[in-house]
Amino acid sequence: MKLLFRQRKFSWFDMYDIYDENSKSVYIVKGDKSWGHSKRIYQDGKEVARLRRQNFLFIDRYNMYIDNKYKGYVHKELTLYHPRFYISNYGWKIKGNPFESSYSIIDSHNNQIASIKKKQLNLNDTYVLDITNDDDILMVLMIVLTIDLEKDSRESSKMVPHYKKENTEE
């Protein structure tokens, strides 16, 4: 199944729309700034999944829930060139290219679960998802949310102004 994952740029809290191949909205993701910062995935107005950020030592860890049942967590691994993410409980690997514009999710037998490609030159973050098995859609959506949240948190930390002390001696 192919899905288009698009972030809404001008929303008070982070919101995303997920469209199918026929441009029909199938999921909506709403963010809240509650304790732990979470994202909730809705289908037909009903919450079907949730991603909750938890600071774990120096790494943000994202706990995943489907139908209020804990499914595991995902976090970014520390690597030099190719971004990688770790997913507990599934045996999946997530590898990205050095430009963080495409990712592959593979299982422990090297079978592809999904491919994720970031569309370039868009005003908002937009990803094209190609998911092999429909049963994995919610897990893949939470992984894409984690990739986007992790990238956004790195970019926002770079935007913090650094003030240089002026030389007042004459």
Side-chain angles (χ1 to χ4, degrees), residues 51-120:
L51 184 72
R52 171 162 262 178
R53 182 173 71 187
Q54 179 182 39
N55 293 339
F56 187 72
L57 297 174
F58 297 106
I59 297 173
D60 284 340
R61 182 169 123 171
Y62 297 86
N63 294 325
M64 300 176 292
Y65 302 86
I66 295 177
D67 294 327
N68 287 323
K69 294 180 184 124
Y70 179 75
K71 295 296 183 177
Y73 65 88
V74 60
H75 71 80
K76 185 170 194 256
E77 294 179 343
L78 299 174
T79 59
L80 290 177
Y81 299 109
H82 297 277
R84 284 193 316 233
F85 290 81
Y86 171 79
I87 303 172
S88 69
N89 300 346
Y90 279 81
W92 294 359
K93 298 175 190 171
I94 307 165
K95 295 181 182 178
N97 68 3
F99 306 107
E100 298 183 79
S101 61
S102 70
Y103 295 85
S104 291
I105 303 173
I106 55 173
D107 67 13
S108 58
H109 304 292
N110 272 346
N111 297 318
Q112 182 150 327
I113 303 293
S115 68
I116 304 163
K117 293 189 184 346
K118 184 171 189 219
K119 283 188 154 189
Q120 302 300 319

Side-chain angles (χ1 to χ4, degrees), residues 1-167:
M1 170 177 257
K2 287 192 184 240
L3 295 174
L4 183 69
F5 185 100
R6 179 176 288 148
Q7 181 178 22
R8 293 184 192 173
K9 257 312 186 204
F10 302 108
S11 63
W12 185 256
F13 296 109
D14 288 340
M15 290 185 73
Y16 305 79
D17 295 300
I18 293 94
Y19 301 95
D20 66 11
E21 295 173 85
N22 301 318
S23 300
K24 179 185 173 215
S25 177
V26 287
Y27 297 99
I28 294 175
V29 178
K30 296 179 181 178
D32 63 45
K33 302 286 185 189
S34 66
W35 178 257
H37 192 100
S38 65
K39 303 282 184 212
R40 299 171 190 271
I41 301 173
Y42 294 90
Q43 183 177 34
D44 299 326
K46 179 186 171 218
E47 181 181 322
V48 293
R50 180 183 43 185
L51 184 72
R52 171 162 262 178
R53 182 173 71 187
Q54 179 182 39
N55 293 339
F56 187 72
L57 297 174
F58 297 106
I59 297 173
D60 284 340
R61 182 169 123 171
Y62 297 86
N63 294 325
M64 300 176 292
Y65 302 86
I66 295 177
D67 294 327
N68 287 323
K69 294 180 184 124
Y70 179 75
K71 295 296 183 177
Y73 65 88
V74 60
H75 71 80
K76 185 170 194 256
E77 294 179 343
L78 299 174
T79 59
L80 290 177
Y81 299 109
H82 297 277
R84 284 193 316 233
F85 290 81
Y86 171 79
I87 303 172
S88 69
N89 300 346
Y90 279 81
W92 294 359
K93 298 175 190 171
I94 307 165
K95 295 181 182 178
N97 68 3
F99 306 107
E100 298 183 79
S101 61
S102 70
Y103 295 85
S104 291
I105 303 173
I106 55 173
D107 67 13
S108 58
H109 304 292
N110 272 346
N111 297 318
Q112 182 150 327
I113 303 293
S115 68
I116 304 163
K117 293 189 184 346
K118 184 171 189 219
K119 283 188 154 189
Q120 302 300 319
L121 304 174
N122 280 353
L123 291 176
N124 52 1
D125 290 339
T126 303
Y127 299 89
V128 176
L129 315 177
D130 191 359
I131 304 168
T132 306
N133 185 343
D134 288 353
D135 294 338
D136 297 327
I137 289 174
L138 291 174
M139 286 299 295
V140 172
L141 290 178
M142 288 189 282
I143 291 167
V144 175
L145 278 169
T146 301
I147 290 169
D148 193 60
L149 290 169
E150 193 280 328
K151 180 185 68 69
D152 285 349
S153 79
R154 273 186 293 118
E155 288 176 359
S156 66
S157 69
K158 290 179 188 175
M159 296 178 77
V160 174
H162 299 281
Y163 296 100
K164 192 168 131 180
K165 185 176 178 182
E166 293 182 21
N167 188 356

